[in-house]
Amino acid sequence: MAKFLITPTTYDQRIVTARVGANASNTRFTDVDVGKGVKLVGDSQYNLLSAADPIEGICTSVETGVYDGYALGGIQFKGYVDATAYGLQATPGTGAITVGQYVLAAAPAAVQVAETLSTTIRVVSATNQATAAANVYKARVVSLGQVGTGAVGTAIVIELL
C-alpha cells in the first residue's frame, strides 16, 4: 500500500506579484531563482534570504520582461512547499531535521545561479525553537518526504505559517 504524505498544495496559497531581485541586469531574478526563499527588501521588492533568516516567502515564478527596471515574480506566503533538508543551523550540512521543527533558510545560491542540491529552498533547523516559533514569519516541517529521514539533501515539505 502506498504511503500517505503531505505534499505541496495549490489551494492554500497566498501568491502576489512583486519586484524580485534588484534593478541591474545581473541582479534580477531569472527562472533559476524559482523555488528560492525571499524577504522584503524595498518598496514592492523581494530579494534572496540570507543564512538563518526566517522564511518570508518563496519565489514561484519569474516574468521574462523587465518592468520599471525590475523583473517581476510570484511570491508565495502561505501553504505547503517543497524544501531540501540541510541539517542543523549551528553546522549546516550535518544532522537531521525532524517533523514539527521550525526551520530557517540555509545560505542560498546567488541570484541567477541554480541551487546545486535541488530546485527547492534549502532549510536548516532553528537552533532556538521557541524563538523561531515566536517569529512573525515562520516555517515548520510537516513531512519528511519519501526518504523519511530528514537527512541532509533529502526532500521534505515545510508549511509557511
Side-chain angles (χ1 to χ4, degrees):
M1 178 174 280
K3 181 178 178 182
F4 174 81
L5 299 170
I6 291 177
T7 57
T9 60
T10 56
Y11 68 87
D12 188 27
Q13 295 178 344
R14 188 174 133 230
I15 299 175
V16 299
T17 301
R19 295 172 172 170
V20 288
N23 64 354
S25 63
N26 63 338
T27 60
R28 294 181 188 118
F29 276 27
T30 65
D31 286 343
V32 299
D33 298 306
V34 170
K36 293 180 182 177
V38 295
K39 62 184 173 185
L40 183 67
V41 296
D43 184 3
S44 306
Q45 179 189 6
Y46 287 82
N47 212 334
L48 293 180
L49 296 169
S50 299
D53 276 348
I55 302 164
E56 290 187 36
I58 306 291
C59 180
T60 60
S61 62
V62 177
E63 295 293 326
T64 56
V66 174
Y67 305 89
D68 207 17
Y70 292 85
L72 298 181
I75 307 295
Q76 177 181 342
F77 297 101
K78 298 285 182 192
Y80 299 120
V81 296
D82 284 323
T84 302
Y86 200 56
L88 308 177
Q89 182 183 344
T91 312
T94 64
I97 290 177
T98 60
V99 169
Q101 282 187 321
Y102 288 95
V103 292
L104 303 171
V111 171
Q112 297 183 3
V113 176
E115 292 287 359
T116 55
L117 288 177
S118 68
T119 58
T120 62
I121 182 174
R122 293 189 300 172
V123 296
V124 292
S125 172
T127 300
N128 186 323
Q129 289 290 302
T131 299
N135 283 337
V136 172
Y137 301 102
K138 52 191 161 201
R140 70 175 173 188
V141 178
V142 294
S143 174
L144 298 178
Q146 293 293 330
V147 175
T149 64
V152 172
T154 60
I156 60 175
V157 177
I158 61 173
E159 180 182 16
L160 301 177
L161 301 167

